[in-house]
Amino acid sequence: MKYPLAIVHKLMEVYGSDVLVAYDIACAFSKTLARSSLGPRSRQLRMAGVVPAFHGHGHNRGCQVNWHPLYMEGVGKEDFEGCERCFSESNALAAGTRLASAFHREQAIEEFFHFWAEDKHLDSGASHLRLSCLVAHG
């Protein structure tokens, strides 16, 4: 649990209060966090955990009611599975990179994540806003 604790520590440093942390085992991790040296600070900052929607269905009903995003106020439509979708899409790289040289494998992986990030940026509508501003201003 040292890596998740280190991540929580950094999140508290950078973002401060009212942070919601998604973790596949947030229900179990919350006990570890509470007993750690970070526990008092995480309570003070009102840090909370959530089990991502897909993973939450594998947990028992009591866990789902307390940790599933569907039942958490302020979560909105977020399912907290963005990383899972990204990693799932990146599986398509395996066929084209397994026999590639280290350089070409790294290049393909870098290109995939660059395209993935650009695609998500376009989906967010931010590029549309930027385009609208360019059209409006000249």
Side-chain angles (χ1 to χ4, degrees):
M1 291 286 182
K2 67 182 177 181
Y3 295 116
L5 287 170
I7 291 168
V8 165
H9 178 64
K10 187 66 173 180
L11 289 171
M12 289 189 300
E13 278 182 8
V14 174
Y15 295 105
S17 63
D18 300 313
V19 173
L20 187 60
V21 180
Y23 187 25
D24 296 352
I25 57 168
C27 47
F29 178 69
S30 68
K31 296 171 190 162
T32 301
L33 178 61
R35 289 189 303 261
S36 76
S37 61
L38 300 174
R41 181 84 173 130
S42 70
R43 284 187 294 279
Q44 179 187 16
L45 294 174
R46 295 177 306 281
M47 180 168 274
V50 60
V51 174
F54 175 77
H55 288 85
H57 292 294
H59 293 234
N60 66 44
R61 183 67 183 148
C63 175
Q64 288 180 20
V65 169
N66 292 309
W67 299 95
H68 197 279
L70 180 65
Y71 305 113
M72 299 188 89
E73 193 168 322
V75 170
K77 294 181 179 181
E78 180 61 48
D79 67 0
F80 298 93
E81 295 289 359
C83 290
E84 296 289 336
R85 282 189 287 282
C86 178
F87 294 141
S88 178
E89 288 177 36
S90 73
N91 286 335
L93 286 169
T97 59
R98 68 184 172 99
L99 299 176
S101 68
F103 171 81
H104 288 106
R105 183 173 29 257
E106 197 170 310
Q107 186 179 43
I109 292 168
E110 175 112 6
E111 191 63 26
F112 170 83
F113 284 106
H114 174 76
F115 176 78
W116 186 85
E118 285 291 318
D119 194 42
K120 297 308 159 206
H121 179 70
L122 289 171
D123 285 347
S124 74
S127 61
H128 173 69
L129 294 174
R130 196 170 358 105
L131 182 60
S132 296
C133 290
L134 289 174
V135 171
H137 296 292

